[in-house]
Amino acid sequence: MIAIIVSRAIDGDRSAAEKLLAGYRPQLVRMVAVRMDSRLKARLDPSDVVQSVLAEAAQKMVTFQKPPEQFYPWLRQLAWDELARLHRDHIRTKKRSVAREQDNWEGRVADESMLLLANRFAAQQLGPGSRLIRQEIRARVQGA
């Protein structure tokens, strides 16, 4: 049965190709989810990676020249290649490094939220009649 669907898909039958790729989607999602680096999972969903792999497979399907039993291993290899590319582009490359991206935000607070925090800190520390002291504490917190 699979051999017939693979043959029809390779010959250009669009409905056979869609059925074939949709049938392998759950397996590929599980494989990618298990093997995907946890740092990549913070940026990418395994389902999105598989969607990209299936789109590539749909384009390259006409070049598939192996026996029909080799179709899933071929898809799996495309997924491995995509995971390797994503790992290289997002983790090993400094300009796109996940670790670097996290470090850039470490310890930084947006100006508006910093002012809110300073106001709350000042309000908790002083009584209602100490406006000048509150302003001084706000200035110290902003300076820090």
Side-chain angles (χ1 to χ4, degrees):
M1 179 73 172
I2 287 285
I4 295 170
I5 296 174
V6 170
S7 296
R8 286 178 42 208
I10 291 170
D11 290 338
D13 184 344
R14 188 178 180 114
S15 65
E18 288 175 6
K19 182 178 180 181
L20 182 65
L21 295 175
Y24 285 119
R25 183 180 179 78
Q27 286 176 278
L28 286 174
V29 169
R30 281 192 302 273
M31 188 274 291
V32 167
V34 167
R35 289 169 177 80
M36 184 182 247
D37 190 304
S38 61
R39 295 171 290 181
L40 278 176
K41 286 181 183 177
R43 280 188 175 187
L44 304 166
D45 186 61
S47 184
D48 293 336
V49 174
V50 170
Q51 184 67 32
S52 173
V53 168
L54 293 179
E56 179 184 359
Q59 290 177 349
K60 292 182 176 182
M61 194 174 299
V62 294
T63 64
F64 183 76
Q65 298 295 321
K66 298 178 182 180
E69 303 82 39
Q70 293 295 312
F71 189 76
Y72 179 70
W74 178 72
L75 279 177
R76 194 176 57 218
Q77 184 61 49
L78 290 177
W80 270 111
D81 294 345
E82 181 68 7
L83 282 175
R85 185 191 67 76
L86 290 171
H87 189 272
R88 181 185 64 243
D89 290 351
H90 290 274
I91 294 175
R92 289 188 14 212
T93 304
K94 290 185 180 182
K95 67 178 181 177
R96 298 275 314 225
S97 173
V98 175
R100 184 175 177 195
E101 185 173 298
Q102 290 172 347
D103 289 344
N104 285 343
W105 288 99
E106 192 172 309
R108 294 185 187 174
V109 180
D111 290 338
E112 186 177 325
S113 63
M114 181 178 62
L115 290 174
L116 290 172
L117 180 64
N119 287 336
R120 283 188 180 183
F121 181 71
Q124 289 175 357
Q125 299 298 318
L126 304 172
S130 306
R131 181 187 295 169
L132 292 175
I133 295 175
R134 283 185 191 158
Q135 289 175 350
E136 182 181 338
I137 290 175
R138 265 189 235 121
R140 286 183 187 177
V141 170
Q142 283 178 321

